[in-house]
Amino acid sequence: MRGCRVMIMLLLSSILLSGCWDRTEINDLAIVLATGVDYKDGQAQLTAQIFIPRKGSGGSESGGAGESASGVTMTRTAEGVNIAEALNRLQRKVARHMFWGQCEVIVISEEAGKQGLREFVDFFLRYPQFREHAYIFSSKDSAKDILALLDPLERSSSESLREMANMNLGTRVTLLELSQSIQGASGSAILTRILIAPPEPNDGPNATTPSLKGLSLYKHGRYSLTVKEPVSLGVLLMINELNNIIMPVTLEGEKGAFSILSKQITTMLKPSIVNGEWMMKVRIVASGEVVLNTTDANLTDPSKVMALKKAWEKRLKEAADQALHMSQKEQKTDFYRFADSFRKHYPQEWKAKKEQWETMYPELQVVVSVKTSITGNGRSTGPQGIPEQSAN
Amino acid sequence: MNTASEAEQETQLTRRLAENGQVLRGVFAGCEDVVFHSFQTIHRTSALCVYCTGLCNTERLEQQLLAPLEQTGLAVEPAVEGSAEVPVASIHQIRTVGQAVTAILDGEAVLLLDGQASGKGYPLYKVPTRTPEEPAAESTVRGARDGFTEALATNQSLLRMRLKTPALKLHSNTIGEYSHTKVTLVYVEGIIQPGLVTEVNKRLSRLNIKDVLESQYIEQGIIDQPFSPFPQMIATERPDVVVSNLLEGRFALLIDGTPFSLIAPVNMFSMLQSPEDYYENIYMSIFVRWLRYIFYALSLLLPSAYVAITTFHQEMIPTVLLLSIARAREEIPFPALVEALIMEIAFEALREAGVRLPKQIGSAVSIVGALIIGQAATTAGIVSAPMIIIVAITGIASFMVPRYSASIATRLLRFPMMILAGTMGLIGVMLGIILVVIHLSSLRSFGRPYLSPAAPTFSKGLKDVLWISQPRSK
């Protein structure tokens, strides 16, 4: 039984190794749920939102003591010449091993974005613990303040942010996607921008939720501008991220308006080079359902539905054109990654014209075509709240 | 034979009754239960009837043997062989002292007549036995309710009842220097792999043990690798399981004195199959069988995986789950490995305590154990609640294995696995799995690879492993 003896020897010798090596009990970890990056006085500032295991314990024992799910996180901040140094200093302020493996949200303030995202992205991807699919947000206020929020609804503000990203309310960019985006041919990136919703008068200053508003656009990996509605809708539409939106649509010759809940909006980019003429075809296919009708029009009438479809198409096209105008004429930056699709479809031509892309882009011909369908008119047929006869 | 020497055994019986009687009395000196009954037949011939009181049916002895000889004179003419007048089945000749001793100890009545150099053995057995009952260790919802008993003859009849074919062969060996236990090799001719019967007989004859109190005594002596924790024979109390395995080309050993019979050659997967798999709806059976495979793996790996992941690979746990575990573990003074070892050892102790105690107290132990370990230990902050869940699931998983002996291996290997997990993380667990697989693939059960149909693969057998083949359609 030599095999048996070898196995026993192996097992016995491994006992000697326990206690050392890289064992870390969960009790010795400071679990970081969210990371914030700020830039202040020429120094990078790193903020970690750390889970406090004790506060949340014994939910059944404290039963009904009025303690909400919040209050289970704390934040710690440290500064440094660069983000790596800040992280090193941060560890000195926390009595447990900082554990970044569960960090699912990274907030980068616009101020820090102005210094360039590349440093942060490189660090987050290089440092062993960070998750590649952590969601990235940009914030108007300092990231530190956002992480300090104690959402009354969720366990922590990082949880709220993660849920919001999952609902597709903004762009939902992960760390990996961000890095691909700024390293891509167009070198631009679009992040969801978060604000702090003002707290209710009776609550403390931190007892509120982060809210999503607008988009932060990055050019060459640096923050360049913020867009808000209505332009931000067009931007989302162009990058095929517009979801869950209720759009008001007016019909010519009718008083009042319809509101359409989009079910699915798909945007496809089709580059074409014909006779050296570069052109981008943007095809938008949308389907939606009417959720509000303040006009007198009855949607059981097919001609009205046709008219409504046309009106919605026009509305979407306007939004796309608006976003294109902002990108091509005002910013002269390829936010929608047209460069990537040209590179994919025409690798040879792209190689030849790569250097001129910056000058070519603002003059690039873009054709937007929209096709919509109204799949339903909600649970009611005719307009509600008016006498039957007058409806028509 | 311990009392009579080799020479004595071979001694021929003589024509003088007194001499024969003396030799036998010498052999059975100090054996109170052996009765020497001297009498005269109606023909005035001296006769000696020797039998063992407990094993021989005295009523029948008196009515069918002694009465005819002593009184009615139906009588045995000394010179006549066969004695057809005595209404007893399968009478046989006894020519040596050794044969006489064996016959008496088997429960036969041995009749010696003066002037004859041979006696006769009358098998008037009265073996203490019980009626077949449902086996306690292997109950089923649907299926035969009879189980083997301690009496070999009953067990043989239970098999014959189910296989009414001359192809069912039974072949007995006597094993045990003191116990002289009858071990019957059972197989179906034409289905069993050729050569297997000779191999088994060879191994049985090589056995050199004093007694056979349980089938394990035999199993330990004849299996290929006695030092493996994995069972290489199935022990079962159920005749239907034996029959089913006989028809799959295996052999069985029925052992006198124990209701457990042994089946071989087996493989890993037959350990995880239950007779019920074929008795119930096929989809349910496939589902249950897969559940069993999964839980068999869990019963080996779950505690070690938990230890490895919580002490080395925290990033692998979903965030919300990690936060729950972190909360539960916050007050726990022990490392996860120590916690797991404490709980697993406590669980095994509890299990052992429950097995040994009488039924009424046994349930009390499990209640106390569950309360103490499950409730008090978590409230006191000595053990975390997730660990209790892990240990409980592991316990349930090991109960799911239909063959008790198969769950022993995972119960034992769990501990080295946990230590590997606590020292090297998932790499240690992988190392442990690799060692176990190496061992399993080198294991043979009577020459058949232990992991066969899976490795070496043969698709026809694999069908019965992955789902269920219809029961032996022709």
Side-chain angles (χ1 to χ4, degrees):
Chain A
M1 282 294 96
R2 219 184 57 218
C4 217
R5 226 173 290 151
V6 168
M7 196 162 146
I8 289 169
M9 279 296 294
L10 234 156
L11 292 178
L12 287 180
S13 60
S14 68
I15 296 173
L16 299 174
L17 298 167
S18 73
C20 53
W21 231 342
D22 49 0
R23 175 180 72 93
T24 29
E25 294 293 332
I26 291 181
N27 311 28
D28 306 329
L29 292 181
I31 302 166
V32 178
L33 296 175
T35 310
V37 181
D38 289 306
Y39 205 82
K40 227 172 222 170
D41 311 328
Q43 288 209 306
Q45 200 177 50
L46 189 69
T47 307
Q49 187 183 63
I50 298 165
F51 175 70
I52 310 171
R54 197 155 307 153
K55 265 253 176 94
S57 73
S60 58
E61 284 153 54
S62 67
E67 203 182 324
S68 71
S70 62
V72 295
T73 56
M74 62 173 205
T75 53
R76 285 289 178 275
T77 309
E79 289 90 11
V81 182
N82 56 35
I83 188 166
E85 193 186 57
L87 182 125
N88 187 37
R89 287 186 180 162
L90 189 54
Q91 178 65 75
R92 285 167 204 192
K93 296 185 178 179
V94 180
R96 295 183 175 192
H97 294 283
M98 300 285 282
F99 180 68
W100 306 85
Q102 297 282 354
C103 168
E104 290 190 323
V105 170
I106 296 173
V107 180
I108 299 171
S109 71
E110 287 178 348
E111 197 56 38
K114 281 177 191 158
Q115 305 301 316
L117 290 175
R118 206 147 280 178
E119 174 194 336
F120 311 135
V121 169
D122 183 82
F123 175 71
F124 289 138
L125 286 178
R126 207 177 288 280
Y127 193 74
Q129 288 184 348
F130 283 95
R131 292 191 167 188
E132 287 175 349
H133 49 263
Y135 294 128
I136 311 272
F137 294 92
S138 92
S139 72
K140 175 175 171 277
D141 315 290
S142 80
K144 184 182 167 186
D145 294 343
I146 294 206
L147 297 192
L149 294 182
L150 299 170
D151 190 334
L153 182 64
E154 295 286 352
R155 187 182 293 112
S156 62
S157 50
S158 73
E159 183 75 10
S160 339
L161 286 173
R162 206 175 60 82
E163 294 287 344
M164 282 174 170
N166 278 337
M167 274 191 289
N168 271 328
L169 296 178
T171 52
R172 194 162 81 156
V173 176
T174 65
L175 179 57
L176 191 65
E177 283 163 2
L178 177 67
S179 109
Q180 284 164 352
S181 178
I182 59 176
Q183 286 164 16
S186 55
S188 66
I190 303 172
L191 294 180
T192 312
R193 179 166 169 274
I194 42 182
L195 302 176
I196 298 172
E200 294 294 315
N202 296 335
D203 294 342
N206 277 342
T208 180
T209 45
S211 70
L212 306 185
K213 197 167 187 195
L215 301 167
S216 302
L217 306 188
Y218 290 78
K219 180 180 184 178
H220 299 309
R222 277 173 206 276
Y223 170 75
S224 69
L225 87 158
T226 296
V227 289
K228 293 181 188 161
E229 282 189 51
V231 185
S232 66
L233 287 186
V235 174
L236 286 174
L237 184 64
M238 287 303 294
I239 56 171
N240 196 14
E241 291 266 8
L242 189 63
N243 292 295
N244 280 327
I245 187 103
I246 295 177
M247 291 177 92
V249 176
T250 49
L251 216 55
E252 248 174 79
E254 296 278 357
K255 252 192 3 214
F258 289 97
S259 282
I260 298 175
L261 168 67
S262 75
K263 287 194 145 171
Q264 197 181 7
I265 301 178
T266 318
T267 308
M268 287 162 283
L269 300 182
K270 269 206 175 133
S272 73
I273 301 178
V274 182
N275 303 330
E277 189 83 12
W278 289 42
M279 192 174 86
M280 178 60 87
K281 285 180 191 154
V282 180
R283 186 170 166 73
I284 298 166
V285 180
S287 68
E289 197 177 80
V290 177
V291 289
L292 175 68
N293 179 6
T294 56
T295 68
D296 293 345
N298 192 332
L299 284 176
T300 48
D301 180 359
S303 64
K304 289 274 188 276
V305 176
M306 283 302 291
L308 183 62
K309 270 168 70 176
K310 284 272 171 306
W312 192 28
E313 265 164 32
K314 202 176 138 210
R315 180 87 173 66
L316 286 172
K317 193 167 173 350
E318 275 170 15
D321 285 339
Q322 208 170 11
L324 278 170
H325 181 79
M326 181 275 295
S327 163
Q328 282 187 298
K329 307 296 175 206
E330 292 170 18
Q331 293 301 316
K332 303 192 193 315
T333 311
D334 176 18
F335 288 122
Y336 315 128
R337 302 173 71 178
F338 286 178
D340 285 329
S341 31
F342 274 111
R343 196 195 60 193
K344 247 183 248 169
H345 285 83
Y346 298 97
Q348 300 303 326
E349 289 85 342
W350 169 254
K351 231 178 228 170
K353 296 270 182 147
K354 204 161 90 181
E355 304 305 320
Q356 288 116 291
W357 176 247
E358 291 241 350
T359 50
M360 275 170 66
Y361 177 72
E363 302 307 323
L364 185 75
Q365 197 192 347
V366 183
V367 180
V368 179
S369 66
V370 187
K371 191 174 181 300
T372 62
S373 59
I374 306 286
T375 55
N377 47 18
R379 291 194 298 161
S380 317
T381 46
Q384 299 295 301
I386 51 170
E388 192 74 15
Q389 305 89 295
S390 63
N392 231 339
Chain B
M1 183 69 38
N2 54 315
T3 45
S5 65
E6 286 292 318
E8 229 170 4
Q9 281 224 26
E10 294 303 316
T11 313
Q12 295 286 324
L13 292 170
T14 62
R15 288 187 162 275
R16 276 196 298 272
L17 181 63
E19 221 168 83
N20 290 338
Q22 207 173 355
V23 173
L24 284 177
R25 268 177 231 271
V27 171
F28 288 111
C31 301
E32 269 182 20
D33 56 338
V34 178
V35 176
F36 289 80
H37 180 85
S38 305
F39 61 98
Q40 297 232 312
T41 67
I42 205 145
H43 300 288
R44 301 274 161 210
T45 320
S46 304
L48 179 65
C49 181
V50 190
Y51 60 93
C52 188
T53 39
L55 301 176
C56 190
N57 191 334
T58 20
E59 238 171 73
R60 283 181 65 199
L61 177 71
E62 282 161 8
Q63 286 174 6
Q64 297 176 343
L65 185 65
L66 298 184
L69 287 173
E70 287 181 49
Q71 296 142 25
T72 57
L74 275 172
V76 190
E77 193 49 48
V80 179
E81 299 229 341
S83 312
E85 293 86 349
V86 179
V88 176
S90 49
I91 301 166
H92 61 94
Q93 290 282 329
I94 289 171
R95 296 188 186 281
T96 66
V97 175
Q99 281 174 0
V101 169
T102 313
I104 292 162
L105 292 176
D106 273 350
E108 295 181 12
V110 172
L111 181 70
L112 301 170
L113 293 174
D114 198 20
Q116 279 189 6
S118 69
K120 289 191 181 70
Y122 298 89
L124 298 166
Y125 305 117
K126 190 192 71 185
V127 186
T129 181
R130 59 183 171 102
T131 50
E133 287 164 23
E134 183 173 13
E138 296 171 76
S139 54
T140 58
V141 178
R142 184 174 166 183
R145 295 255 183 265
D146 54 354
F148 287 137
T149 69
E150 283 77 9
L152 184 61
T154 318
N155 299 348
Q156 292 178 347
S157 66
L158 286 174
L159 289 185
R160 182 61 78 182
M161 202 180 85
R162 287 180 167 79
L163 285 175
K164 290 170 184 136
T165 161
L168 175 68
K169 305 292 183 195
L170 296 103
H171 176 264
S172 286
N173 296 278
T174 305
I175 290 169
E177 193 189 336
Y178 285 82
S179 68
H180 277 254
T181 312
K182 254 186 160 178
V183 175
T184 309
L185 171 65
V186 191
Y187 58 93
V188 178
E189 203 176 49
I191 296 183
I192 192 158
Q193 292 116 322
L196 199 53
V197 173
T198 25
E199 174 67 24
V200 179
N201 278 324
K202 205 173 83 190
R203 290 194 191 185
L204 281 175
S205 64
R206 272 208 308 255
L207 267 183
N208 183 20
I209 48 179
K210 280 184 176 161
D211 58 337
V212 182
L213 295 183
E214 202 357 89
S215 53
Q216 175 66 22
Y217 288 45
I218 306 269
E219 184 180 345
Q220 195 67 26
I222 62 172
I223 52 177
D224 303 52
Q225 287 178 37
F227 294 102
S228 168
F230 288 90
Q232 291 148 62
M233 296 185 95
I234 294 178
T236 182
E237 280 185 87
R238 294 172 58 99
D240 54 336
V241 174
V242 172
V243 167
S244 147
N245 279 293
L246 289 180
L247 293 178
E248 279 171 24
R250 306 199 168 101
F251 67 86
L253 292 175
L254 302 181
I255 295 142
D256 203 11
T258 171
F260 284 95
S261 60
L262 296 171
I263 299 169
V266 296
N267 55 48
M268 184 82 201
F269 303 100
S270 52
M271 291 292 161
L272 298 174
Q273 291 169 3
S274 147
E276 268 197 329
D277 288 357
Y278 299 96
Y279 300 167
E280 281 294 347
N281 178 294
I282 186 164
Y283 299 110
M284 188 61 200
S285 303
I286 293 169
F287 170 68
V288 170
R289 193 173 270 190
W290 273 100
L291 207 64
R292 239 182 257 137
Y293 292 155
I294 294 165
F295 273 70
Y296 189 63
L298 281 188
S299 75
L300 177 65
L301 297 175
L302 191 61
S304 41
Y306 177 79
V307 169
I309 290 173
T310 52
T311 47
F312 290 93
H313 317 283
Q314 289 92 355
E315 64 280 355
M316 283 176 67
I317 312 173
T319 309
V320 182
L321 182 62
L322 177 71
L323 300 188
S324 301
I325 294 176
R327 258 188 225 133
R329 274 202 57 82
E330 187 58 25
E331 311 285 332
I332 309 300
F334 305 112
L337 172 65
V338 176
E339 198 188 355
L341 284 175
I342 290 174
M343 284 306 294
E344 284 293 344
I345 289 170
F347 174 74
E348 290 296 331
L350 200 68
R351 190 164 164 175
E352 187 59 21
V355 170
R356 295 283 158 262
L357 282 174
K359 259 180 197 160
Q360 297 86 337
I361 313 175
S363 60
V365 165
S366 55
I367 291 169
V368 168
L371 275 180
I372 289 175
I373 293 183
Q375 200 62 46
T378 31
T379 327
I382 291 170
V383 180
S384 66
M387 183 56 84
I388 303 262
I389 298 170
I390 297 289
V391 172
I393 292 175
T394 316
I396 291 168
S398 66
F399 290 139
M400 270 192 73
V401 182
R403 304 268 154 242
Y404 177 76
S405 52
S407 68
I408 289 174
T410 53
R411 272 166 74 186
L412 289 177
L413 291 177
R414 199 180 294 156
F415 292 96
M417 280 296 233
M418 275 189 281
I419 292 169
L420 281 174
T423 50
M424 283 181 269
L426 283 184
I427 294 170
V429 176
M430 279 315 295
L431 190 69
I433 293 175
I434 289 169
L435 286 177
V436 169
V437 170
I438 287 174
H439 172 68
L440 281 177
S441 46
S442 72
L443 207 57
R444 298 276 184 282
S445 171
F446 287 84
R448 307 283 173 282
Y450 200 60
L451 288 179
S452 66
T457 316
F458 77 104
S459 51
K460 213 175 156 194
L462 212 53
K463 194 181 164 196
D464 198 36
V465 170
L466 297 179
W467 47 94
I468 280 179
S469 55
Q470 287 294 326
R472 284 175 287 281
S473 51
K474 241 198 156 176

